[in-house]
Amino acid sequence: MTATTVLTARALLLDMDGTLVNSDASVERVWRRWAERHGLDGDEVMKVVHGRQGYASMALLLPDRPMEQNLADNARMLAEETADTEGVVAIPGAREFLASLKGLPHALVTSADVALSTARMAAAGLPMPEVRVTAESVGASKPDPEGFLKGAAELGVAPADCVVFEDSGAGIAAGRSAGMRVVGIGQRATFHHPDAAVRDLTQVRVEAGDDGTIRLHIG
């Protein structure tokens, strides 16, 4: 972006992987091993898995497999991902961005479960937001809007007054379906036409308004 975009919100809803934390190395290792076990093309698998809970990705990739098997396989994958934090680092600007949100309404809305989100945020050296919507909190994975709607409800803010930060197509679709504006983080996001897009969080500045609003200077 060559010009600065200004968005006004009353709460921010933050994805984790690809948005606050770069976990691509771990995700690639775990999912490519899974693809090999099931005779699938690793490159094609990687096009699907970002932003979704594991069982939802499996349902798309192995449509004839019973959901019970996907859920059991997902539990194993979560444990494998939680144990594999090598190369997990903060997205540039994430630490400063989170520090600028202190005292402002915001929540983590992630497809990871509590264990995985805790492990990855810790590996990246990032503080965990007080309000969190994890895999255990929802009945449907992104691109379903349930997680973002729950985050808004927990913060007591109308969906239209929330801005979502996301990197994946599934996450951007979920934010849109929730009736929220979306800031896309990283190259992956640009293919899904968010309301604004940045390379990383160094291009976002947060300004607290006297009236309880949050002004986002993006670009």
PDB file of all heavy atoms in Angstrom, residues 15 50-52 111 142-145 148 164-177 182 192:
ATOM      1  N   ASP A  15      -6.450 -13.057  14.627  1.00  0.00           N
ATOM      2  CA  ASP A  15      -6.017 -14.421  14.348  1.00  0.00           C
ATOM      3  C   ASP A  15      -4.600 -14.586  14.901  1.00  0.00           C
ATOM      4  O   ASP A  15      -3.910 -13.606  15.211  1.00  0.00           O
ATOM      5  CB  ASP A  15      -6.046 -14.640  12.831  1.00  0.00           C
ATOM      6  CG  ASP A  15      -5.492 -15.983  12.417  1.00  0.00           C
ATOM      7  OD1 ASP A  15      -5.931 -17.001  12.972  1.00  0.00           O
ATOM      8  OD2 ASP A  15      -4.600 -16.002  11.548  1.00  0.00           O
ATOM      9  N   HIS A  50      -4.352 -23.703   5.788  1.00  0.00           N
ATOM     10  CA  HIS A  50      -4.172 -22.459   6.536  1.00  0.00           C
ATOM     11  C   HIS A  50      -5.521 -21.866   6.967  1.00  0.00           C
ATOM     12  O   HIS A  50      -6.423 -21.697   6.171  1.00  0.00           O
ATOM     13  CB  HIS A  50      -3.405 -21.432   5.702  1.00  0.00           C
ATOM     14  CG  HIS A  50      -1.972 -21.817   5.484  1.00  0.00           C
ATOM     15  ND1 HIS A  50      -1.042 -21.839   6.496  1.00  0.00           N
ATOM     16  CD2 HIS A  50      -1.318 -22.218   4.362  1.00  0.00           C
ATOM     17  CE1 HIS A  50       0.126 -22.219   6.021  1.00  0.00           C
ATOM     18  NE2 HIS A  50      -0.010 -22.462   4.730  1.00  0.00           N
ATOM     19  N   GLY A  51      -5.616 -21.557   8.257  1.00  0.00           N
ATOM     20  CA  GLY A  51      -6.789 -20.870   8.785  1.00  0.00           C
ATOM     21  C   GLY A  51      -7.888 -21.760   9.299  1.00  0.00           C
ATOM     22  O   GLY A  51      -8.744 -21.305  10.055  1.00  0.00           O
ATOM     23  N   ARG A  52      -7.894 -23.021   8.903  1.00  0.00           N
ATOM     24  CA  ARG A  52      -8.951 -23.944   9.319  1.00  0.00           C
ATOM     25  C   ARG A  52      -8.492 -24.818  10.476  1.00  0.00           C
ATOM     26  O   ARG A  52      -7.308 -25.069  10.634  1.00  0.00           O
ATOM     27  CB  ARG A  52      -9.362 -24.861   8.165  1.00  0.00           C
ATOM     28  CG  ARG A  52     -10.046 -24.189   7.009  1.00  0.00           C
ATOM     29  CD  ARG A  52     -10.436 -25.223   5.956  1.00  0.00           C
ATOM     30  NE  ARG A  52     -11.268 -24.637   4.921  1.00  0.00           N
ATOM     31  CZ  ARG A  52     -10.779 -24.001   3.851  1.00  0.00           C
ATOM     32  NH1 ARG A  52      -9.482 -23.897   3.678  1.00  0.00           N
ATOM     33  NH2 ARG A  52     -11.606 -23.481   2.954  1.00  0.00           N
ATOM     34  N   SER A 111      -7.893 -20.859  15.291  1.00  0.00           N
ATOM     35  CA  SER A 111      -8.317 -22.233  15.042  1.00  0.00           C
ATOM     36  C   SER A 111      -7.503 -23.229  15.855  1.00  0.00           C
ATOM     37  O   SER A 111      -7.810 -24.416  15.867  1.00  0.00           O
ATOM     38  CB  SER A 111      -8.192 -22.566  13.548  1.00  0.00           C
ATOM     39  OG  SER A 111      -9.091 -21.785  12.794  1.00  0.00           O
ATOM     40  N   LYS A 142     -13.435 -21.827  11.097  1.00  0.00           N
ATOM     41  CA  LYS A 142     -13.373 -20.865   9.996  1.00  0.00           C
ATOM     42  C   LYS A 142     -13.360 -21.659   8.694  1.00  0.00           C
ATOM     43  O   LYS A 142     -12.744 -22.722   8.651  1.00  0.00           O
ATOM     44  CB  LYS A 142     -12.090 -20.017  10.089  1.00  0.00           C
ATOM     45  CG  LYS A 142     -11.958 -19.183  11.365  1.00  0.00           C
ATOM     46  CD  LYS A 142     -10.566 -18.553  11.443  1.00  0.00           C
ATOM     47  CE  LYS A 142     -10.348 -17.825  12.756  1.00  0.00           C
ATOM     48  NZ  LYS A 142      -8.979 -17.278  12.879  1.00  0.00           N
ATOM     49  N   PRO A 143     -14.055 -21.247   7.650  1.00  0.00           N
ATOM     50  CA  PRO A 143     -14.615 -19.929   7.380  1.00  0.00           C
ATOM     51  C   PRO A 143     -15.964 -19.617   8.018  1.00  0.00           C
ATOM     52  O   PRO A 143     -16.550 -18.579   7.703  1.00  0.00           O
ATOM     53  CB  PRO A 143     -14.726 -19.905   5.856  1.00  0.00           C
ATOM     54  CG  PRO A 143     -14.961 -21.334   5.491  1.00  0.00           C
ATOM     55  CD  PRO A 143     -14.130 -22.131   6.475  1.00  0.00           C
ATOM     56  N   ASP A 144     -16.483 -20.489   8.880  1.00  0.00           N
ATOM     57  CA  ASP A 144     -17.687 -20.143   9.631  1.00  0.00           C
ATOM     58  C   ASP A 144     -17.369 -18.951  10.537  1.00  0.00           C
ATOM     59  O   ASP A 144     -16.299 -18.887  11.144  1.00  0.00           O
ATOM     60  CB  ASP A 144     -18.136 -21.345  10.470  1.00  0.00           C
ATOM     61  CG  ASP A 144     -19.512 -21.148  11.063  1.00  0.00           C
ATOM     62  OD1 ASP A 144     -19.605 -20.418  12.079  1.00  0.00           O
ATOM     63  OD2 ASP A 144     -20.479 -21.701  10.541  1.00  0.00           O
ATOM     64  N   PRO A 145     -18.290 -17.994  10.673  1.00  0.00           N
ATOM     65  CA  PRO A 145     -18.008 -16.788  11.462  1.00  0.00           C
ATOM     66  C   PRO A 145     -18.140 -16.964  12.964  1.00  0.00           C
ATOM     67  O   PRO A 145     -17.932 -15.999  13.719  1.00  0.00           O
ATOM     68  CB  PRO A 145     -19.057 -15.796  10.948  1.00  0.00           C
ATOM     69  CG  PRO A 145     -20.216 -16.658  10.553  1.00  0.00           C
ATOM     70  CD  PRO A 145     -19.591 -17.910   9.974  1.00  0.00           C
ATOM     71  N   PHE A 148     -15.432 -15.429  15.427  1.00  0.00           N
ATOM     72  CA  PHE A 148     -15.379 -13.974  15.477  1.00  0.00           C
ATOM     73  C   PHE A 148     -16.619 -13.393  16.161  1.00  0.00           C
ATOM     74  O   PHE A 148     -16.513 -12.411  16.913  1.00  0.00           O
ATOM     75  CB  PHE A 148     -15.197 -13.394  14.075  1.00  0.00           C
ATOM     76  CG  PHE A 148     -13.817 -13.599  13.516  1.00  0.00           C
ATOM     77  CD1 PHE A 148     -13.624 -14.213  12.299  1.00  0.00           C
ATOM     78  CD2 PHE A 148     -12.697 -13.191  14.238  1.00  0.00           C
ATOM     79  CE1 PHE A 148     -12.348 -14.409  11.791  1.00  0.00           C
ATOM     80  CE2 PHE A 148     -11.415 -13.383  13.743  1.00  0.00           C
ATOM     81  CZ  PHE A 148     -11.239 -13.991  12.513  1.00  0.00           C
ATOM     82  N   VAL A 164     -11.151  -7.245  12.108  1.00  0.00           N
ATOM     83  CA  VAL A 164     -10.455  -8.528  12.172  1.00  0.00           C
ATOM     84  C   VAL A 164      -9.082  -8.392  11.524  1.00  0.00           C
ATOM     85  O   VAL A 164      -8.935  -7.728  10.485  1.00  0.00           O
ATOM     86  CB  VAL A 164     -11.281  -9.599  11.430  1.00  0.00           C
ATOM     87  CG1 VAL A 164     -10.461 -10.850  11.159  1.00  0.00           C
ATOM     88  CG2 VAL A 164     -12.546  -9.936  12.211  1.00  0.00           C
ATOM     89  N   PHE A 165      -8.085  -9.034  12.123  1.00  0.00           N
ATOM     90  CA  PHE A 165      -6.753  -9.142  11.514  1.00  0.00           C
ATOM     91  C   PHE A 165      -6.541 -10.606  11.152  1.00  0.00           C
ATOM     92  O   PHE A 165      -6.578 -11.477  12.016  1.00  0.00           O
ATOM     93  CB  PHE A 165      -5.675  -8.671  12.496  1.00  0.00           C
ATOM     94  CG  PHE A 165      -5.599  -7.179  12.622  1.00  0.00           C
ATOM     95  CD1 PHE A 165      -6.571  -6.477  13.307  1.00  0.00           C
ATOM     96  CD2 PHE A 165      -4.565  -6.470  12.034  1.00  0.00           C
ATOM     97  CE1 PHE A 165      -6.512  -5.095  13.421  1.00  0.00           C
ATOM     98  CE2 PHE A 165      -4.495  -5.086  12.135  1.00  0.00           C
ATOM     99  CZ  PHE A 165      -5.471  -4.397  12.829  1.00  0.00           C
ATOM    100  N   GLU A 166      -6.300 -10.883   9.873  1.00  0.00           N
ATOM    101  CA  GLU A 166      -6.243 -12.254   9.364  1.00  0.00           C
ATOM    102  C   GLU A 166      -5.237 -12.378   8.225  1.00  0.00           C
ATOM    103  O   GLU A 166      -4.936 -11.392   7.545  1.00  0.00           O
ATOM    104  CB  GLU A 166      -7.613 -12.697   8.845  1.00  0.00           C
ATOM    105  CG  GLU A 166      -8.465 -13.465   9.837  1.00  0.00           C
ATOM    106  CD  GLU A 166      -8.012 -14.904  10.048  1.00  0.00           C
ATOM    107  OE1 GLU A 166      -6.999 -15.304   9.428  1.00  0.00           O
ATOM    108  OE2 GLU A 166      -8.661 -15.617  10.820  1.00  0.00           O
ATOM    109  N   ASP A 167      -4.779 -13.608   8.011  1.00  0.00           N
ATOM    110  CA  ASP A 167      -3.855 -13.864   6.901  1.00  0.00           C
ATOM    111  C   ASP A 167      -4.413 -14.845   5.883  1.00  0.00           C
ATOM    112  O   ASP A 167      -3.938 -14.884   4.749  1.00  0.00           O
ATOM    113  CB  ASP A 167      -2.538 -14.441   7.426  1.00  0.00           C
ATOM    114  CG  ASP A 167      -2.687 -15.877   7.890  1.00  0.00           C
ATOM    115  OD1 ASP A 167      -3.497 -16.129   8.789  1.00  0.00           O
ATOM    116  OD2 ASP A 167      -2.006 -16.766   7.337  1.00  0.00           O
ATOM    117  N   SER A 168      -5.391 -15.670   6.249  1.00  0.00           N
ATOM    118  CA  SER A 168      -5.824 -16.774   5.384  1.00  0.00           C
ATOM    119  C   SER A 168      -7.160 -16.491   4.713  1.00  0.00           C
ATOM    120  O   SER A 168      -7.964 -15.688   5.197  1.00  0.00           O
ATOM    121  CB  SER A 168      -5.949 -18.067   6.199  1.00  0.00           C
ATOM    122  OG  SER A 168      -7.077 -17.989   7.067  1.00  0.00           O
ATOM    123  N   GLY A 169      -7.390 -17.190   3.605  1.00  0.00           N
ATOM    124  CA  GLY A 169      -8.670 -17.064   2.923  1.00  0.00           C
ATOM    125  C   GLY A 169      -9.839 -17.468   3.793  1.00  0.00           C
ATOM    126  O   GLY A 169     -10.881 -16.812   3.813  1.00  0.00           O
ATOM    127  N   ALA A 170      -9.668 -18.573   4.550  1.00  0.00           N
ATOM    128  CA  ALA A 170     -10.744 -19.033   5.433  1.00  0.00           C
ATOM    129  C   ALA A 170     -11.039 -18.001   6.511  1.00  0.00           C
ATOM    130  O   ALA A 170     -12.202 -17.738   6.835  1.00  0.00           O
ATOM    131  CB  ALA A 170     -10.356 -20.363   6.077  1.00  0.00           C
ATOM    132  N   GLY A 171      -9.990 -17.407   7.075  1.00  0.00           N
ATOM    133  CA  GLY A 171     -10.186 -16.416   8.120  1.00  0.00           C
ATOM    134  C   GLY A 171     -10.802 -15.139   7.610  1.00  0.00           C
ATOM    135  O   GLY A 171     -11.686 -14.546   8.266  1.00  0.00           O
ATOM    136  N   ILE A 172     -10.367 -14.680   6.445  1.00  0.00           N
ATOM    137  CA  ILE A 172     -10.933 -13.467   5.856  1.00  0.00           C
ATOM    138  C   ILE A 172     -12.407 -13.685   5.531  1.00  0.00           C
ATOM    139  O   ILE A 172     -13.254 -12.819   5.795  1.00  0.00           O
ATOM    140  CB  ILE A 172     -10.127 -13.053   4.608  1.00  0.00           C
ATOM    141  CG1 ILE A 172      -8.736 -12.556   5.048  1.00  0.00           C
ATOM    142  CG2 ILE A 172     -10.853 -11.978   3.813  1.00  0.00           C
ATOM    143  CD1 ILE A 172      -7.751 -12.381   3.912  1.00  0.00           C
ATOM    144  N   ALA A 173     -12.741 -14.854   4.998  1.00  0.00           N
ATOM    145  CA  ALA A 173     -14.146 -15.175   4.714  1.00  0.00           C
ATOM    146  C   ALA A 173     -14.967 -15.200   5.992  1.00  0.00           C
ATOM    147  O   ALA A 173     -16.117 -14.739   6.016  1.00  0.00           O
ATOM    148  CB  ALA A 173     -14.235 -16.511   3.988  1.00  0.00           C
ATOM    149  N   ALA A 174     -14.387 -15.740   7.079  1.00  0.00           N
ATOM    150  CA  ALA A 174     -15.098 -15.787   8.364  1.00  0.00           C
ATOM    151  C   ALA A 174     -15.378 -14.386   8.880  1.00  0.00           C
ATOM    152  O   ALA A 174     -16.479 -14.093   9.370  1.00  0.00           O
ATOM    153  CB  ALA A 174     -14.278 -16.577   9.378  1.00  0.00           C
ATOM    154  N   GLY A 175     -14.381 -13.503   8.793  1.00  0.00           N
ATOM    155  CA  GLY A 175     -14.582 -12.127   9.243  1.00  0.00           C
ATOM    156  C   GLY A 175     -15.647 -11.419   8.451  1.00  0.00           C
ATOM    157  O   GLY A 175     -16.514 -10.725   9.015  1.00  0.00           O
ATOM    158  N   ARG A 176     -15.617 -11.604   7.138  1.00  0.00           N
ATOM    159  CA  ARG A 176     -16.629 -10.985   6.288  1.00  0.00           C
ATOM    160  C   ARG A 176     -18.030 -11.516   6.622  1.00  0.00           C
ATOM    161  O   ARG A 176     -19.000 -10.753   6.699  1.00  0.00           O
ATOM    162  CB  ARG A 176     -16.311 -11.283   4.822  1.00  0.00           C
ATOM    163  CG  ARG A 176     -15.221 -10.411   4.248  1.00  0.00           C
ATOM    164  CD  ARG A 176     -15.587 -10.027   2.817  1.00  0.00           C
ATOM    165  NE  ARG A 176     -14.485  -9.298   2.218  1.00  0.00           N
ATOM    166  CZ  ARG A 176     -13.507  -9.867   1.530  1.00  0.00           C
ATOM    167  NH1 ARG A 176     -13.467 -11.165   1.364  1.00  0.00           N
ATOM    168  NH2 ARG A 176     -12.560  -9.122   0.996  1.00  0.00           N
ATOM    169  N   SER A 177     -18.126 -12.837   6.802  1.00  0.00           N
ATOM    170  CA  SER A 177     -19.427 -13.440   7.114  1.00  0.00           C
ATOM    171  C   SER A 177     -19.965 -12.944   8.452  1.00  0.00           C
ATOM    172  O   SER A 177     -21.178 -12.930   8.669  1.00  0.00           O
ATOM    173  CB  SER A 177     -19.315 -14.970   7.147  1.00  0.00           C
ATOM    174  OG  SER A 177     -19.012 -15.478   5.874  1.00  0.00           O
ATOM    175  N   VAL A 182     -11.960  -6.362   7.564  1.00  0.00           N
ATOM    176  CA  VAL A 182     -10.805  -7.249   7.709  1.00  0.00           C
ATOM    177  C   VAL A 182      -9.539  -6.567   7.202  1.00  0.00           C
ATOM    178  O   VAL A 182      -9.511  -6.037   6.089  1.00  0.00           O
ATOM    179  CB  VAL A 182     -11.016  -8.572   6.931  1.00  0.00           C
ATOM    180  CG1 VAL A 182      -9.828  -9.495   7.125  1.00  0.00           C
ATOM    181  CG2 VAL A 182     -12.303  -9.258   7.372  1.00  0.00           C
ATOM    182  N   HIS A 192      -7.219 -12.566  -1.272  1.00  0.00           N
ATOM    183  CA  HIS A 192      -8.608 -12.718  -0.820  1.00  0.00           C
ATOM    184  C   HIS A 192      -9.293 -11.382  -0.568  1.00  0.00           C
ATOM    185  O   HIS A 192     -10.355 -11.335   0.053  1.00  0.00           O
ATOM    186  CB  HIS A 192      -8.635 -13.592   0.438  1.00  0.00           C
ATOM    187  CG  HIS A 192      -7.973 -14.925   0.222  1.00  0.00           C
ATOM    188  ND1 HIS A 192      -8.572 -15.954  -0.482  1.00  0.00           N
ATOM    189  CD2 HIS A 192      -6.737 -15.380   0.577  1.00  0.00           C
ATOM    190  CE1 HIS A 192      -7.747 -16.985  -0.529  1.00  0.00           C
ATOM    191  NE2 HIS A 192      -6.634 -16.668   0.101  1.00  0.00           N
TER     192      HIS A 192
END
